[in-house]
Amino acid sequence: EVQLVETGGGLIQPGGSLRLSCAASGFTVSSNYMSWVRQAPGKGLEWVSVIYSGGSTYYADSVKGRFTISRDNSKNTLYLQMNSLRAEDTAVYYCARASAANTLDVWGKGTTVTVSS
Amino acid sequence: QSALTQPASVSGSPGQSITISCTGTSSDVGSYNLVSWYQQHPGKAPKLMIYEGSKRPSGVSNRFSGSKSGNTASLTISGLQAEDEADYYCCSYAGIWVFGGGTKLTVL
């Protein structure tokens, strides 16, 4: 079964760092485009970052320079390193797989990040 | 990249049909046939309902259909059922992924 499971969320103070993980099963992370999408409380979906199968990475302007997406092929796991966290980064963070048609077709259940003092 | 424009809410009675619009620009919705639609129930992850504008993933009811005209994509749900009540998001790929603001569907 194709599945994504996110972990690593929690309560963190402004300015702090957190690393999210997304463990994949049923498919190979390194062979796919993998993205992070977030949803602030009561708000809509916001694309955050992508890592392409070739290793290229891209970020939304709102997180550029603060967040880093990466993957560990041996663990079949996607990561999101989040530094210099702000209150506006508070959200549920989902990892998602992009299909060949660049559709985000498989989503995890999400992990909650709360940035507050 | 600006968010795609969706109505904040739509409603319909059981058995009726509703349509949710998603307006972008010639740089995203209008340029590519890569619009997808997601259903999200409260506290749950988004679920893919339509991809490439009008294709349904396996397991999604044929009551859900998608179309596009110019810079506007649309999701139509026919034969409304109580379980269709949810938030719906459109998404366009144009080098990066851009989402609409979401539409809350209420089944009366």
Side-chain angles (χ1 to χ4, degrees):
Chain A
E1 180 190 7
V2 173
Q3 192 174 9
L4 294 167
V5 178
E6 304 95 334
T7 56
L11 175 62
I12 187 78
Q13 291 188 339
S17 297
L18 208 57
R19 188 179 80 158
L20 306 183
S21 300
C22 171
S25 56
F27 71 98
T28 303
V29 164
S30 62
S31 298
N32 289 268
Y33 298 176
M34 297 296 298
S35 263
W36 288 96
V37 176
R38 69 183 180 183
Q39 186 171 33
K43 302 297 184 182
L45 300 170
E46 178 190 17
W47 174 79
V48 172
S49 181
V50 63
I51 182 167
Y52 289 128
S53 51
S56 299
T57 59
Y58 296 90
Y59 301 91
D61 288 343
S62 57
V63 306
K64 201 172 295 182
R66 300 188 298 123
F67 289 13
T68 302
I69 190 171
S70 63
R71 67 190 182 209
D72 185 329
N73 297 344
S74 66
K75 295 182 178 180
N76 208 31
T77 298
L78 177 73
Y79 300 101
L80 186 68
Q81 177 67 43
M82 304 186 295
N83 298 331
S84 303
L85 282 162
R86 308 166 180 167
E88 54 265 36
D89 295 319
T90 294
V92 176
Y93 285 74
Y94 298 99
C95 67
R97 180 186 76 175
S99 69
N102 291 312
T103 296
L104 300 173
D105 63 343
V106 179
W107 295 63
K109 293 184 176 181
T111 187
T112 301
V113 173
T114 303
V115 184
S116 174
S117 55
Chain B
Q1 199 83 350
S2 300
L4 308 177
T5 301
Q6 298 180 233
S9 64
V10 298
S11 63
S13 299
Q16 289 186 331
S17 295
I18 63 94
T19 296
I20 300 172
S21 62
C22 170
T23 301
T25 69
S26 58
S27 298
D28 41 56
V29 175
S31 287
Y32 306 91
N33 200 26
L34 295 174
V35 174
S36 51
W37 289 91
Y38 300 88
Q39 176 192 67
Q40 187 180 37
H41 287 109
K44 301 295 186 181
K47 174 187 176 183
L48 179 65
M49 305 303 285
I50 296 288
Y51 67 101
E52 293 183 28
S54 61
K55 298 179 180 179
R56 277 189 310 275
S58 174
V60 171
S61 171
N62 59 9
R63 297 186 298 105
F64 292 82
S65 62
S67 62
K68 191 187 84 165
S69 177
N71 297 337
T72 299
S74 299
L75 172 71
T76 297
I77 309 174
S78 59
L80 269 180
Q81 299 179 0
E83 58 261 36
D84 298 332
E85 185 162 294
D87 293 326
Y88 290 84
Y89 294 90
C90 62
C91 178
S92 178
Y93 177 77
I96 60 171
W97 288 266
V98 181
F99 287 94
T103 298
K104 181 176 181 59
L105 169 62
T106 300
V107 180
L108 302 171

